[in-house]
Amino acid sequence: MKKAKWFDRQGRPSGAFPNNAEIKGYYMYCNGLAAVVSLTMLQMPKVIKVLEDEFGKVANSGSMESSATPQAEPIPPVSSEDFYIRNDEAITSVTNCLQESAGTIPSCSLAVAGWAFLLQKISQLVREHTEWDAGDENTPRAPKIVEAYTEIIPKLFPTTVEVGLKQLFGRISHQLHPVVIAILESTSESGSGAGFSLKGEEDYLRMKNVVAALVRKTTPYYEFCETLINATFLSHDVEYQHLSDYSKFVEGERPVALEESWIGSPVEKFSQDDETLKLLLRAKNRFPYEPLPFLRLLRGISTESSAVINYLTNLDTYTHILPAGFKEYDDFGPEESGNIRLVTDLLLFPPRERGMLEHEVESGNMSSDGGLVINRGTQGVQISSGGTRQVVAWRCKYNGLSLLGRILECKITSQELREDLTNDIVASEIVSLLTVLIATSPESQAAARRAPGHYELPQALGEASDMLGRNRDVISLVFDLLDTQLGRINVEDPFFTVGLDFVNSLVHVAPGRVWPYLARSVLLERHGRGGAFSGYLCAVEVTQGNYDFTLANLTLFESLVEEAIRSSAVHKGRSRALVLSSKAPEPSGPGGNGVSDIVQREILLGYTRVIVDIFESYRGFKYSKDIAQKLQIGTRIARIFNTILYYAYGVDEFSDSENKLTSVLMPSAEYLVSVFLGQGENDLPIEPILGAIQDGVATPESSLYTKTLGLWVDQVIQMVKFADVLVRVRLYLDHPPSHLEKRLYANAGSMAKLYAADEQYKAYVLELFESLVKSSGSFSEEPPSLLGHLGSDCANHFVTLLSSLDKPYQDEGVEIRIWNFISAVVSNKQQGMSILLLRGEALRQGRTTAKPVKNKSMLQICFDALDEIDTLPVEKTLAMLEMISTALNFWTLAMDDLRKHPKILPGLTKHVESFNIEFLPADTKDVITEKACKVAIAAHIARILALYTHSRRPSDKDQTFFKQLIPRLKYYFDKAVKISGYRSSLHALLPKNFEEKWSGVKLAQFKKTRLRRTIYGPDAVYDIVLGDKVLGFDPTWAGRADGYRSEVQEANLNLSLVQTQVNLLSSWELLAVELCDFAKNSPDLAKSLTDVVVACLKENVETGLPSNVFSQILSRRADFAFVVVRKIHQALPESDHFSKVFTSALKAVHNSRAEFHHALTTTGMDYYRSLLRIIYISLTAICKKEKHSLEFGLLIVDLLDIVVARGFKDLVQAAHQHPDTANPADIALVTGILQAALRIKDINEIHTGLANHLHENQTIRAATTLFSWADQLASADGDPVYGELAVLFLLELSSVPVIAEQLALENVLELLMSSTLATRIAVGGITPHNNPRLHAIWSRGLLPLALNLLANIGTRYGREIVTFLKYFEAQLRTALEGWKKPSVVVLPAVNEVVGVGMILAIVNKMGGREELKGSVNIDTQVAADGVEYLLGHRNYLKSLVAPMSVDEEEMRDDLTEKVVIGLGTVQTLLQEEGEE
């Protein structure tokens, strides 16, 4: 009865509504919609099923009762008893309503026709079942519907039911098909009223099926005419641009499609319906005399390409007009039957003129010259015999597709035919039919989805080319015809769109034909010719307001961009696999594309230039046909530009633009960057983006025009995505701030409103905001303020919306983007917005003095949500933790909130305490991805704990917290320094196999760039989607489960795991370093941290990871270990834990001796420098012990061999060979290790071992050589730092007596004095003020070295010492005379004079006084008097003391004391010399 009530309300006149244009428009729209809804309410398939079941059940009941066979279970009824067709009142109501409306309201004709058909169906069933007799108990009782038909329905018609139904069909005979045509065409201005079209509805295909079912069922009731053909065609046809949506619709509903239902493909039901097949037969029997009906019906069902091709290639009727005066036939059969028989051969279709080398080859009735001849004896039927020329339908077999190709050839060659066959409409229908047959062919579908294998040309193309001339096929015909038509761009021609659709259908299946055509076509302007696209747009489309041609060009351009990406590997190599990727049957050019990549770039760039011009202006165009065209233009352009930028800059970061995998897109991408990311204040290119944002804010809320509303939303989304990509490209290319970004900031308020306008916009708006904030954070100047551009009122509302976390929709993706946006804000110089988000206080409005409203801040919301961290999705948890760690890192107020929340830190540590992540070979992709996210979660928790720990200084009150914290960090202590699960063989072999398989293509070219957002999982690092596009043709890519695609996914998953573990190591380093501050009061913590150091060193030794992949990880781990060792040494300098640290560090060096020495000689010391530092600190702590084992002594000897004897020599070699990259600090580090080793007590064996290793490696000679070359190896400012390092190294060696002897034997002093540096010092006048480096070499190096040699060797070395002093006589006088009246006293000068005094005193004590006086002319008394005066006037001395370094500056008071002690030593030494 509900359906009956619906019909009671139909037919209400429009005058009942107010005379308002908008309301009237809605009424007209609803009028058309009501027509389809009314038809749907009749439930024709369901009613037919009910009727057939009802009649069949009753008819079978009598036989079943008399049968000896047991009665089967009854078939459940299709519907309940209250179904309207069983209700008398409902039948009456519907019949009366539709009788009243029939012929008066055109839109009601659909429901009238449907109801009339149902009544006719009931009448038919009643006539077929005449056995019912209510008075006979042995006959079945008639169904209730029969009673209704015989008793109720006759009363509803003025005459009999049969006559009434005939009149009902007659009253709508001139309305039904026009109404169907009106609601199925793009615009609807008749029948159902302007404003309604099925194409504008979201459920368009399902509604179209309802109409198509009606057309099929009512076909027998109408004459064969143009409106019937067009209605049948439109109700079954699928436009080329909608084929993809149609295929998805059919595939999605195929499992539930029933023969008589509205679900599924209407074409399949067309082929199963006898009446529609009869209609097709009638149209075929009039072909090609009347070509359009047959062509349109075929095009309507051409989505079933195989069936249509089979039908067309086996036509058995050819209808035409007999030539004038032709009488060569006989009549046969019954009189006036019209049957005739040929008595001679008859030419049906004229041949073309054959070339000199072309011979006729007959195939049945068709010949190679394009003619069609039927033999004598062929029978036919006269269709019309009136007039002078007769129309005959001959019964002959021929290939209809070949004939269609021949018709096109006649049109292009202007061969004379009947006008009906060569006019533009017929040509358009033929090309449209071919286009759909190509697009729906198995070959095209395989090429479109990039199925593995080689794609042949579709069968339709071959069949249509059979009757064509040499060197010509149907593709070339259509191309030539299109170019010919494009020469007339000032005239509207629908063939332009049809021809472009044909070209587009070939892009993927035959690119070798499309690219060459576009290269020579007049469609685009190239080299000063062409330009039909822009010319036709300006001359015709803009003036008429119809942009079908522009939309067809956009579709073609999008396909070309896609194909250019797919074929990008073709130009990179010539392997067999890449040759097979050619789609053309015979590749005519490089890689099967028919043109070079240079020409491809020019074509794509030409299209890009034109479409950029359209993009700048399309919002101002006139749109007369359909406003949806405006939305489609904007959507498609933005989507295409997104694709170009995405694949031009989104992969292959390190190749230049010529060698990128997607290099064919680079000119177009660079042009887009120049237009949209310029600094000039040109609003024209970016106005469509800003306009789309305003459109999004004004998104209508309506349940009408749902398809158009969907296009509206899609356009806004694509524009926002385009803006997002542009902003990220600007940041990726490191270009100056663009005008686009400034305008986006100016429209920040609109963007915030867009976020609130529709749920579908939220994620994309947040991504744009995030990219905008990150990009502006890189500005050299102060970035624009997001808060300032939003304004206080808008900002308050925006933050309120964000704090709702997408309630009530609970879209996890939107929530993740909210947290990502906040992370970007708080870390990119957006102070105002950061405070608003983190404090939760609404901004004051105007001059109000009211206290601001305090709401929950985003931090508090996040903290509360993380209380349930164990139940949250890992991706969402990861985003929230990242926001917290970022906020804590940049804002102290975030730390205050953290301290106020009592559960957050215990909850986080408890969560990570439960982690037990093991990477197993059997893990699925989803499991691996989840584990990677969990490791990333652990990394962020460690970072949060590190920041919290850093904010708290060590104190007694913190001990309780840390005692509870440390046990919960077991996961970090055990796992954080390990990088496990790395599949070295996979990452080593995959790139190699990749390049061997596809020559010229490298796996690294698929690697994503910084333009992409970070994700974990199967598509993390290498772009799988791009791989599918480029390599999908090859079965080895994805044709099997273990193909290359699977391996690349495994590599992505493995790298996701590795990357998250690296992040964990970095975060754990921060936390561990902060924990070191608490190690002084916690021996257990100190031990645990020492174990971490040992674990780092052990992992570096035992992992065996490839150095080219993990060199940075090894260095980071070593740096981490060094920092922890240093912090522990500062806190506990005498700890017993340093022995195992030293052993582990030495083992790390020892186990990679070859790599260690290679690093020393090539200056690649990043990793080993940290190891040497650890060794140095450990030795510094160990040397304080009184006793050491013999095993430890052997380790020291080994250390001195590897690091000191040979290591120093390697560093000297590096300084000579790589002076620009060599680090002098490395030599100082080796010298420090030597110094620490020599201080170890109770192990004398190391001296002998060191001497032997020095001799074996000629280390002493290396040191003297370095000293002699120091002035040439000096830095840019002429600093001979290597001279000081060399002499200090020799000085440390000279402290060992056995090595001092070795130095004396090698004449070290003589070698040093022969150097350029020594000559410069010997001239004299070197002071700490005029030349600090030379003075240091002299005072800290040469003097102590000579002193050590003299002290360790004794009088045997006295003569060499005297010679040394004589050589530096001038500098000795400078050192002594400088104390006569010093203007400033510095510690280096004091040390220098102490050294001079000591060496003079020792020489005198050894009996060399007289020889010294005779050889060296110096006056020590001057220095003695000056020193004595200064020591006698301490305040004056203190005023003269000045620091020479930062360290001396920090020890100002102690510096004076050191000077006094030093001068006192000088006074004692010089006094003893005077007394002697």
Side-chain angles (χ1 to χ4, degrees):
M1 286 303 297
K2 293 180 180 179
K3 293 181 175 62
K5 291 180 179 179
W6 163 268
F7 285 98
D8 285 341
R9 291 175 171 83
Q10 298 307 301
R12 186 176 180 180
S14 59
F17 290 94
N19 189 19
N20 180 281
E22 183 177 359
I23 295 178
K24 189 174 182 180
Y26 276 121
Y27 170 75
M28 299 302 289
Y29 172 89
C30 293
N31 193 22
L33 180 61
V36 181
V37 172
S38 298
L39 178 61
T40 308
M41 296 284 286
L42 293 177
Q43 293 286 297
M44 288 175 59
K46 191 173 182 180
V47 169
I48 294 172
K49 185 67 174 174
V50 168
L51 292 174
E52 291 177 347
D53 289 348
E54 189 79 14
F55 279 82
K57 179 175 63 176
V58 175
N60 293 332
S61 62
S63 61
M64 289 176 65
E65 290 175 0
S66 61
S67 172
T69 306
Q71 184 174 352
E73 291 293 328
I75 301 175
V78 175
S79 57
S80 62
E81 289 297 328
D82 62 349
F83 190 46
Y84 85 95
I85 199 65
R86 294 189 175 100
N87 187 285
D88 297 346
E89 184 179 349
I91 293 175
T92 302
S93 177
V94 173
T95 305
N96 289 336
C97 172
L98 294 180
Q99 277 199 101
E100 181 182 350
S101 303
T104 58
I105 303 176
S107 62
C108 289
S109 59
L110 297 178
V112 172
W115 183 242
F117 170 78
L118 291 177
L119 294 181
Q120 189 72 39
K121 180 71 174 179
I122 296 172
S123 176
Q124 175 190 346
L125 291 172
V126 170
R127 289 195 302 269
E128 291 175 355
H129 296 79
T130 59
E131 67 277 11
W132 294 311
D133 185 0
D136 187 354
E137 296 181 356
N138 295 323
T139 58
R141 181 178 176 82
K144 190 172 183 179
I145 189 62
V146 175
E147 297 178 4
Y149 184 81
T150 55
E151 298 177 8
I152 299 174
I153 296 178
K155 299 177 183 179
L156 303 178
F157 291 97
T159 58
T160 64
V161 174
E162 288 76 8
V163 174
L165 291 177
K166 186 176 181 179
Q167 292 175 348
L168 203 57
F169 276 118
R171 290 163 63 185
I172 61 171
S173 60
H174 300 293
Q175 295 177 341
L176 175 62
H177 294 130
V179 168
V180 170
I181 293 171
I183 65 174
L184 287 171
E185 286 183 335
S186 296
T187 56
S188 181
E189 298 181 357
S190 62
S192 64
F196 177 78
S197 171
L198 288 186
K199 292 181 180 180
E201 297 304 306
E202 185 177 15
D203 210 10
Y204 155 62
L205 293 173
R206 179 88 39 85
M207 297 171 75
K208 183 179 175 183
N209 275 358
V210 174
V211 176
L214 174 69
V215 172
R216 289 194 302 271
K217 296 299 182 184
T218 58
T219 296
Y221 304 106
Y222 295 96
E223 295 293 333
F224 184 92
C225 62
E226 182 180 0
T227 55
L228 172 62
I229 297 298
N230 289 340
T232 307
F233 158 65
L234 289 172
S235 60
H236 294 81
D237 176 54
V238 181
E239 295 180 350
Y240 173 74
Q241 59 268 29
H242 297 145
L243 282 175
S244 177
D245 295 337
Y246 172 78
S247 298
K248 294 176 182 177
F249 169 77
V250 172
E251 287 301 318
E253 301 203 335
R254 191 179 298 278
V256 294
L258 301 175
E259 182 179 353
E260 289 296 335
S261 73
W262 294 325
I263 302 174
S265 169
V267 177
E268 292 180 3
K269 297 174 176 59
F270 183 100
S271 62
Q272 298 165 3
D273 191 292
D274 293 337
E275 298 301 331
T276 52
L277 290 178
K278 289 178 183 178
L279 179 66
L280 180 61
L281 179 63
R282 293 179 67 183
K284 183 198 72 171
N285 290 339
R286 304 180 71 84
F287 177 80
Y289 171 65
E290 293 179 359
L292 291 179
F294 184 57
L295 290 175
R296 284 179 177 162
L297 286 178
L298 284 180
R299 184 152 71 93
I301 62 174
S302 56
T303 50
E304 297 291 332
S305 59
S306 298
V308 172
I309 292 173
N310 183 61
Y311 190 85
L312 263 175
T313 53
N314 293 283
L315 295 182
D316 56 4
T317 304
Y318 189 98
T319 302
H320 79 137
I321 303 175
L322 289 178
F326 183 81
K327 298 294 183 180
E328 303 298 325
Y329 59 85
D330 294 330
D331 297 328
F332 74 96
E335 190 174 350
E336 297 183 357
S337 65
N339 293 328
I340 62 175
R341 180 187 295 110
L342 279 177
V343 296
T344 184
D345 294 347
L346 176 63
L347 178 66
L348 296 181
F349 199 92
R352 63 178 170 276
E353 295 183 2
R354 292 197 297 270
M356 295 178 60
L357 302 177
E358 188 175 1
H359 303 282
E360 181 177 352
V361 178
E362 292 189 1
S363 176
N365 297 320
M366 309 175 74
S367 60
S368 61
D369 62 358
L372 178 60
V373 180
I374 54 176
N375 301 324
R376 66 176 182 174
T378 302
Q379 298 178 4
V381 178
Q382 294 179 344
I383 296 179
S384 65
S385 57
T388 58
R389 305 175 72 179
Q390 297 180 353
V391 179
V392 179
W394 297 106
R395 299 186 183 96
C396 63
K397 292 186 178 295
Y398 66 97
N399 189 330
L401 265 176
S402 299
L403 181 65
L404 296 181
R406 182 75 180 92
I407 292 173
L408 290 178
E409 184 181 31
C410 292
K411 180 173 180 58
I412 195 66
T413 58
S414 300
Q415 185 174 349
E416 291 187 4
L417 287 178
R418 284 193 308 107
E419 182 181 353
D420 289 347
L421 288 179
T422 57
N423 62 33
D424 291 342
I425 297 177
V426 173
S428 296
E429 288 294 337
I430 293 173
V431 175
S432 296
L433 174 61
L434 290 173
T435 299
V436 179
L437 292 178
I438 294 168
T440 57
S441 67
E443 296 84 2
S444 291
Q445 291 176 352
R449 66 175 182 269
R450 201 60 167 163
H454 176 61
Y455 316 129
E456 302 291 343
L457 284 178
Q459 179 187 355
L461 293 174
E463 298 287 353
S465 303
D466 276 353
M467 291 177 63
L468 304 182
R470 296 178 59 194
N471 302 321
R472 177 174 281 174
D473 61 7
V474 72
I475 295 177
S476 61
L477 282 180
V478 177
F479 285 174
D480 292 344
L481 187 59
L482 178 59
D483 252 15
T484 301
Q485 300 294 92
L486 286 174
R488 301 182 291 110
I489 60 174
N490 295 324
V491 180
E492 183 180 11
D493 191 343
F495 186 79
F496 292 170
T497 302
V498 171
L500 281 184
D501 288 343
F502 180 83
V503 176
N504 188 49
S505 70
L506 296 171
V507 169
H508 296 315
V509 77
R513 302 297 299 275
V514 174
W515 291 106
Y517 164 70
L518 293 174
R520 66 177 185 271
S521 171
V522 298
L523 183 65
L524 298 174
E525 182 178 356
R526 292 183 67 242
H527 309 302
R529 59 179 294 272
F533 178 15
S534 55
Y536 185 78
L537 172 66
C538 297
V540 177
E541 291 195 310
V542 171
T543 58
Q544 297 187 0
N546 181 10
Y547 301 90
D548 289 337
F549 183 62
T550 296
L551 289 171
N553 269 287
L554 291 176
T555 303
L556 176 59
F557 182 40
E558 189 168 15
S559 298
L560 290 172
V561 171
E562 177 73 12
E563 181 58 32
I565 297 171
R566 291 180 172 194
S567 62
S568 55
V570 174
H571 299 290
K572 303 301 178 184
R574 288 293 180 270
S575 69
R576 181 174 180 273
L578 291 183
V579 171
L580 287 177
S581 72
S582 168
K583 322 298 187 304
E586 294 181 4
S588 56
N593 284 332
V595 296
S596 67
D597 58 339
I598 296 176
V599 176
Q600 276 187 301
R601 294 179 189 183
E602 291 178 355
I603 293 171
L604 294 177
L605 179 59
Y607 250 128
T608 303
R609 291 180 182 276
V610 176
I611 291 175
V612 165
D613 292 340
I614 296 174
F615 184 74
E616 293 176 346
S617 309
Y618 85 95
R619 292 180 64 84
F621 290 170
K622 177 180 73 174
Y623 294 91
S624 301
K625 179 183 178 182
D626 191 353
I627 192 63
Q629 288 186 332
K630 175 182 178 181
L631 304 174
Q632 291 173 345
I633 290 173
T635 301
R636 293 187 190 181
I637 293 178
R639 186 171 62 231
I640 295 169
F641 289 170
N642 272 335
T643 302
I644 292 173
L645 294 173
Y646 194 73
Y647 285 108
Y649 298 113
V651 291
D652 197 7
E653 183 169 2
F654 301 105
S655 298
D656 56 44
S657 59
E658 294 294 325
N659 295 316
K660 273 180 172 284
L661 185 64
T662 54
S663 59
V664 70
L665 300 179
M666 289 308 298
S668 299
E670 290 167 356
Y671 181 74
L672 293 177
V673 169
S674 67
V675 171
F676 292 100
L677 294 179
Q679 294 180 271
E681 296 185 359
N682 180 15
D683 284 344
L684 190 59
I686 62 177
E687 192 58 40
I689 298 175
L690 304 178
I693 293 174
Q694 299 296 335
D695 290 347
V697 174
T699 300
E701 296 182 5
S702 173
S703 59
L704 307 180
Y705 306 103
T706 52
K707 191 74 173 290
T708 303
L709 181 60
L711 291 173
W712 183 303
V713 173
D714 286 344
Q715 182 202 217
V716 175
I717 289 174
Q718 290 298 330
M719 287 293 184
V720 173
K721 289 172 66 176
F722 181 42
D724 176 39
V725 171
L726 284 172
V727 171
R728 286 190 285 136
V729 166
R730 203 283 305 166
L731 179 61
Y732 171 73
L733 297 176
D734 198 23
H735 282 188
S738 65
H739 181 58
L740 170 65
E741 291 165 276
K742 297 176 183 177
R743 289 303 310 277
L744 287 174
Y745 265 109
N747 285 268
S750 297
M751 290 164 58
K753 295 175 184 177
L754 179 62
Y755 177 86
D758 193 285
E759 178 68 18
Q760 299 177 75
Y761 298 145
K762 287 185 176 181
Y764 304 103
V765 172
L766 289 171
E767 287 181 347
L768 177 55
F769 266 131
E770 178 190 351
S771 299
L772 190 62
V773 169
K774 286 183 176 179
S775 179
S776 61
S778 66
F779 290 4
S780 57
E781 67 274 10
E782 188 69 18
S785 169
L786 179 58
L787 179 61
H789 284 90
L790 284 174
S792 58
D793 186 50
C794 183
N796 286 335
H797 286 90
F798 184 47
V799 172
T800 301
L801 286 173
L802 293 178
S803 64
S804 68
L805 296 181
D806 198 48
K807 294 178 182 178
Y809 299 100
Q810 300 294 332
D811 187 333
E812 182 181 328
V814 172
E815 290 190 40
I816 290 173
R817 286 170 176 83
I818 289 174
W819 300 121
N820 291 341
F821 165 66
I822 298 173
S823 298
V825 169
V826 300
S827 60
N828 284 281
K829 306 177 185 177
Q830 294 291 337
Q831 290 86 350
M833 195 67 184
S834 299
I835 294 174
L836 181 60
L837 288 167
L838 298 179
R839 290 183 64 87
E841 290 184 359
L843 298 175
R844 294 182 179 179
Q845 306 297 315
R847 298 181 179 179
T848 180
T849 58
K851 187 176 180 180
V853 179
K854 178 69 175 180
N855 299 314
K856 269 192 176 182
S857 69
M858 296 305 298
L859 268 177
Q860 292 172 328
I861 294 172
C862 189
F863 292 157
D864 292 343
L866 288 174
D867 286 343
E868 306 294 333
I869 188 172
D870 294 332
T871 62
L872 294 176
V874 289
E875 292 85 359
K876 182 177 175 181
T877 304
L878 188 57
M880 288 192 289
L881 291 174
E882 181 180 3
M883 189 279 289
I884 293 175
S885 63
T886 305
L888 294 175
N889 190 35
F890 285 89
W891 293 91
T892 55
L893 60 89
M895 189 63 67
D896 296 336
D897 283 348
L898 181 68
R899 289 170 179 159
K900 295 175 183 177
H901 200 285
K903 297 181 180 180
I904 182 65
L905 288 180
L908 294 180
T909 53
K910 182 180 180 181
H911 181 67
V912 80
E913 182 185 14
S914 65
F915 279 10
N916 184 22
I917 304 173
E918 299 290 342
F919 308 119
L920 305 176
D923 286 343
T924 63
K925 295 174 183 178
D926 292 339
V927 170
I928 295 175
T929 303
E930 183 177 0
K931 288 183 177 181
C933 291
K934 283 188 175 181
V935 175
I937 287 172
H940 282 296
I941 292 176
R943 197 176 191 89
I944 292 170
L945 292 173
L947 292 166
Y948 177 78
T949 307
H950 180 75
S951 68
R952 302 174 72 96
R953 297 273 55 90
S955 63
D956 293 338
K957 66 179 181 180
D958 293 321
Q959 294 307 312
T960 302
F961 169 77
F962 285 102
K963 284 181 181 179
Q964 296 174 349
L965 173 65
I966 300 304
R968 291 187 171 182
L969 302 181
K970 185 178 184 301
Y971 173 77
Y972 297 109
F973 284 111
D974 294 344
K975 302 287 187 179
V977 300
K978 298 179 180 180
I979 308 294
S980 58
Y982 179 75
R983 298 175 58 183
S984 55
S985 60
L986 172 65
H987 296 288
L989 295 177
L990 183 57
K992 180 181 177 182
N993 296 339
F994 212 82
E995 192 164 1
E996 288 179 356
K997 178 65 180 178
W998 299 288
S999 177
V1001 179
K1002 299 179 180 179
L1003 180 62
Q1005 292 176 315
F1006 293 86
K1007 191 173 184 179
K1008 297 180 181 179
T1009 66
R1010 294 175 288 109
L1011 183 69
R1012 309 285 190 92
R1013 289 181 167 86
T1014 301
I1015 61 172
Y1016 301 120
D1019 197 27
V1021 179
Y1022 301 110
D1023 194 329
I1024 294 295
V1025 176
L1026 179 61
D1028 291 338
K1029 294 177 184 292
V1030 175
L1031 303 173
F1033 67 90
D1034 196 325
T1036 61
W1037 168 252
R1040 58 176 189 261
D1042 59 342
Y1044 281 91
R1045 187 181 194 273
S1046 177
E1047 290 191 19
V1048 174
Q1049 285 185 322
E1050 290 178 7
N1052 281 334
L1053 290 166
N1054 193 240
L1055 291 174
S1056 296
L1057 287 177
V1058 171
Q1059 183 59 54
T1060 54
Q1061 290 178 86
V1062 171
N1063 295 341
L1064 176 61
L1065 172 63
S1066 178
S1067 299
W1068 171 232
E1069 178 182 353
L1070 296 175
L1071 177 56
V1073 169
E1074 294 301 330
L1075 292 177
C1076 288
D1077 292 336
F1078 301 86
K1080 186 174 183 179
N1081 299 323
S1082 177
D1084 293 338
L1085 177 58
K1087 181 181 181 302
S1088 298
L1089 291 171
T1090 305
D1091 291 339
V1092 169
V1093 173
V1094 173
C1096 285
L1097 301 176
K1098 183 178 179 181
E1099 283 296 313
N1100 282 357
V1101 172
E1102 296 180 355
T1103 303
L1105 300 173
S1107 58
N1108 60 332
V1109 176
F1110 279 84
S1111 57
Q1112 293 183 354
I1113 296 176
L1114 297 177
S1115 298
R1116 171 173 288 184
R1117 211 147 41 191
D1119 291 343
F1120 174 27
F1122 162 68
V1123 173
V1124 173
V1125 167
R1126 186 182 62 182
K1127 298 274 284 186
I1128 294 178
H1129 184 261
Q1130 292 171 349
L1132 303 168
E1134 298 182 359
S1135 173
D1136 296 332
H1137 303 308
F1138 290 104
S1139 295
K1140 59 181 179 181
V1141 172
F1142 168 76
T1143 304
S1144 299
L1146 181 58
K1147 183 179 180 181
V1149 174
H1150 189 277
N1151 286 11
S1152 58
R1153 292 185 63 170
E1155 292 82 0
F1156 172 67
H1157 293 297
H1158 177 75
L1160 293 177
T1161 56
T1162 58
T1163 69
M1165 281 287 291
D1166 291 341
Y1167 168 53
Y1168 291 101
R1169 186 176 296 117
S1170 296
L1171 291 182
L1172 295 181
R1173 288 172 175 171
I1174 293 172
I1175 290 174
Y1176 172 71
I1177 294 176
S1178 302
L1179 279 178
T1180 303
I1182 294 172
C1183 69
K1184 298 176 182 180
K1185 294 183 179 181
E1186 297 294 333
K1187 297 290 183 178
H1188 300 280
S1189 65
L1190 179 60
E1191 291 78 6
F1192 180 75
L1194 296 176
L1195 289 177
I1196 296 298
V1197 173
D1198 199 18
L1199 168 70
L1200 295 174
D1201 175 26
I1202 300 171
V1203 175
V1204 177
R1206 186 173 174 182
F1208 184 87
K1209 182 182 177 181
D1210 292 336
L1211 290 173
V1212 172
Q1213 179 182 343
H1216 282 82
Q1217 296 178 352
H1218 311 283
D1220 296 332
T1221 57
N1223 189 352
D1226 294 333
I1227 296 179
L1229 182 57
V1230 170
T1231 304
I1233 292 174
L1234 171 63
Q1235 184 184 55
L1238 295 179
R1239 290 180 180 174
I1240 296 176
K1241 303 174 183 179
D1242 197 35
I1243 304 181
N1244 296 325
E1245 293 80 0
I1246 64 175
H1247 297 164
T1248 305
L1250 176 59
N1252 292 334
H1253 294 313
L1254 293 172
H1255 176 71
E1256 292 171 0
N1257 293 286
Q1258 296 185 342
T1259 309
I1260 296 173
R1261 178 56 59 92
T1264 56
T1265 303
L1266 180 63
F1267 185 86
S1268 63
W1269 280 81
D1271 56 334
Q1272 298 183 31
L1273 299 174
S1275 58
D1277 57 356
D1279 183 14
V1281 63
Y1282 285 109
E1284 182 179 1
L1285 294 172
V1287 74
L1288 290 177
F1289 179 75
L1290 292 172
L1291 175 63
E1292 291 299 330
L1293 293 178
S1294 66
S1295 64
V1296 181
V1298 64
I1299 301 177
E1301 294 279 357
Q1302 192 174 345
L1303 292 173
L1305 290 174
E1306 295 194 20
N1307 296 320
V1308 168
L1309 284 183
E1310 183 179 347
L1311 292 173
L1312 296 178
M1313 287 187 296
S1314 63
S1315 66
T1316 305
L1317 288 180
T1319 303
R1320 291 169 60 186
I1321 296 172
V1323 174
I1326 304 298
T1327 68
H1329 307 289
N1330 61 18
N1331 200 324
R1333 182 68 68 187
L1334 283 182
H1335 187 269
I1337 293 173
W1338 160 251
S1339 63
R1340 295 182 59 223
L1342 292 176
L1343 271 177
L1345 174 61
L1347 184 61
N1348 279 354
L1349 292 174
L1350 179 60
N1352 288 320
I1353 300 175
T1355 56
R1356 292 180 292 118
Y1357 206 66
R1359 192 174 300 278
E1360 285 78 2
I1361 295 299
V1362 172
T1363 303
F1364 171 82
L1365 295 175
K1366 180 174 178 58
Y1367 184 77
F1368 292 104
E1369 179 181 334
Q1371 180 59 26
L1372 290 173
R1373 283 197 297 269
T1374 301
L1376 294 172
E1377 293 174 358
W1379 292 96
K1380 186 175 182 179
K1381 289 184 178 181
S1383 58
V1384 63
V1385 176
V1386 294
L1387 191 58
V1390 174
N1391 294 334
E1392 177 189 19
V1393 73
V1394 170
V1396 172
M1398 291 182 67
I1399 198 169
L1400 292 177
I1402 293 175
V1403 170
N1404 290 337
K1405 286 186 177 296
M1406 289 184 176
R1409 184 183 182 87
E1410 296 300 327
E1411 184 177 355
L1412 183 62
K1413 284 186 176 182
S1415 302
V1416 183
N1417 182 20
I1418 56 175
D1419 184 8
T1420 59
Q1421 190 60 40
V1422 176
D1425 294 342
V1427 168
E1428 183 179 3
Y1429 177 81
L1430 291 174
L1431 290 174
H1433 301 79
R1434 295 294 180 91
N1435 291 334
Y1436 175 62
L1437 172 62
K1438 186 175 182 179
S1439 66
L1440 296 179
V1441 174
M1444 288 290 291
S1445 65
V1446 176
D1447 292 339
E1448 293 181 3
E1449 181 73 31
E1450 294 176 354
M1451 49 179 282
R1452 184 76 186 217
D1453 295 335
D1454 294 337
L1455 180 61
T1456 303
E1457 186 64 26
K1458 285 190 174 184
V1459 168
V1460 171
I1461 294 173
L1463 292 179
T1465 303
V1466 172
Q1467 184 181 36
T1468 303
L1469 293 172
L1470 295 182
Q1471 284 178 352
E1472 291 178 355
E1473 182 184 0
E1475 293 174 356
E1476 292 179 0

